[in-house]
Amino acid sequence: MNSVRVRELVIGEGMPKICVPIVGNRRAEILKMAKEIVNSSADMVEWRADWFESVFDLEKVVEVAVELREILRKLPLLFTFRTKAEGGEKEIEPAHYRELLLAVAATSDVDMIDVEAFFDDDIAQLICDLHEKGVVVVGSNHDFEGTPSKEEIIRRLCHMQDIGADILKMAVMPQKQSDVATLMDATKEMVSGYAQHPVVTMSMSEMGIISRLEGQLFGSAVTFGALKKTSAPGQINVEKLKKRLEKVNNLV
């Protein structure tokens, strides 16, 4: 498996990197959260732009991206519009989704862009176009209904790789404790047998917290923590997360 370098951060080597999402509705709130994250143990930042009230105004989105870069300095920035179908705040048409992601990629202020791998049939072309803008693409899939079989999880992650994603991300919802084990087992098999790029997986909710804490043991390269407001069920405080990751790292 090859690691991915984003600014000074190497994803796919050593301890899982901590990503802290920004989930503000207004520009001032977004920038305030960014300033707080800079002083935390975060390794990277995700701007969940589907929370932003003006996300369909491309000019305002670009303005905020520029301001975020000034605040975050060397911290890598991941831009995400999570669709309603995969747990996000808003719905979006495929043409607008493409236009938004390409406009943000063109700024050079965003380092990575999340692309939902199963959003429509033209995702492979969108990923290709984003690569031409020089951004790292995180292919993603979020299943809030349950946890697919190990084989299906691996199939979806392989599909992300096949369509050109640089980082492969999947989040699932456990209905029983064995679902968490299924996700971790699938990740381990994906990393050891199929992945050419970093893999990021998590089992959501309180039941799946172990997957956020011990990713290094089964191969997940990034984990998501929170300062105050969470962007997904089961996220824990970034500082507590950092301490737990360091303890696991000392055992490896």
Side-chain angles (χ1 to χ4, degrees), residues 138-164:
V138 178
S140 69
N141 179 234
H142 302 75
D143 194 327
F144 278 80
E145 300 301 315
T147 300
S149 66
K150 180 175 81 168
E151 293 73 22
E152 176 62 13
I153 292 171
I154 292 171
R155 186 195 72 79
R156 294 187 196 180
L157 291 168
C158 284
H159 173 73
M160 296 172 199
Q161 185 162 266
D162 291 343
I163 60 175

Side-chain angles (χ1 to χ4, degrees), residues 35-247:
K35 290 172 183 174
E36 292 172 350
I37 291 171
V38 167
N39 296 313
S40 76
S41 294
D43 297 302
M44 53 189 279
V45 180
E46 178 184 40
W47 178 21
R48 275 287 303 273
D50 52 294
W51 284 73
F52 182 35
E53 63 181 6
S54 302
V55 69
F56 297 118
D57 184 330
L58 293 184
E59 188 174 326
K60 289 184 178 178
V61 172
V62 168
E63 286 174 358
V64 173
V66 171
E67 291 179 293
L68 282 174
R69 171 49 54 214
E70 291 175 356
I71 293 167
L72 297 175
R73 299 189 291 274
K74 294 181 180 179
L75 271 181
L77 177 59
L78 166 65
F79 179 89
T80 298
F81 183 102
R82 181 68 58 236
T83 66
K84 194 87 168 177
E86 294 208 11
E89 295 296 298
K90 297 177 179 68
E91 295 180 351
I92 190 170
E93 292 297 319
H96 292 153
Y97 184 71
R98 173 184 172 82
E99 184 181 23
L100 173 64
L101 299 194
L102 288 172
V104 171
T107 68
S108 77
D109 293 297
V110 168
D111 307 293
M112 298 172 280
I113 292 185
D114 180 290
V115 175
E116 292 181 7
F118 300 94
F119 183 58
D120 71 7
D121 294 334
D122 294 324
I123 289 299
Q125 184 59 54
L126 174 57
I127 290 174
C128 182
D129 294 340
L130 288 169
H131 279 151
E132 289 183 359
K133 303 287 187 185
V135 296
V136 169
V137 173
V138 178
S140 69
N141 179 234
H142 302 75
D143 194 327
F144 278 80
E145 300 301 315
T147 300
S149 66
K150 180 175 81 168
E151 293 73 22
E152 176 62 13
I153 292 171
I154 292 171
R155 186 195 72 79
R156 294 187 196 180
L157 291 168
C158 284
H159 173 73
M160 296 172 199
Q161 185 162 266
D162 291 343
I163 60 175
D166 304 295
I167 296 173
L168 323 173
K169 179 193 175 208
M170 188 164 178
V172 299
M173 185 65 74
Q175 302 298 333
K176 53 187 183 298
Q177 201 62 50
S178 61
D179 286 344
V180 182
T182 296
L183 182 277
M184 294 165 76
D185 192 30
T187 307
K188 192 171 184 179
E189 185 169 325
M190 180 70 193
V191 170
S192 62
Y194 305 98
Q196 298 166 12
H197 306 296
V199 174
V200 177
T201 62
M202 63 220 65
S203 187
M204 295 181 281
S205 80
E206 292 292 319
M207 191 182 295
I209 276 181
I210 190 171
S211 70
R212 298 182 182 276
L213 298 172
E214 300 187 359
Q216 190 168 358
L217 301 181
F218 57 93
S220 183
V222 175
T223 187
F224 288 73
L227 278 179
K228 297 169 186 172
K229 205 181 217 180
T230 64
S231 65
Q235 284 179 3
I236 62 175
N237 175 268
V238 59
E239 304 306 333
K240 290 181 180 178
L241 183 55
K242 180 75 170 184
K243 290 176 182 176
R244 180 59 180 262
L245 293 178
E246 287 174 342
K247 285 183 180 179

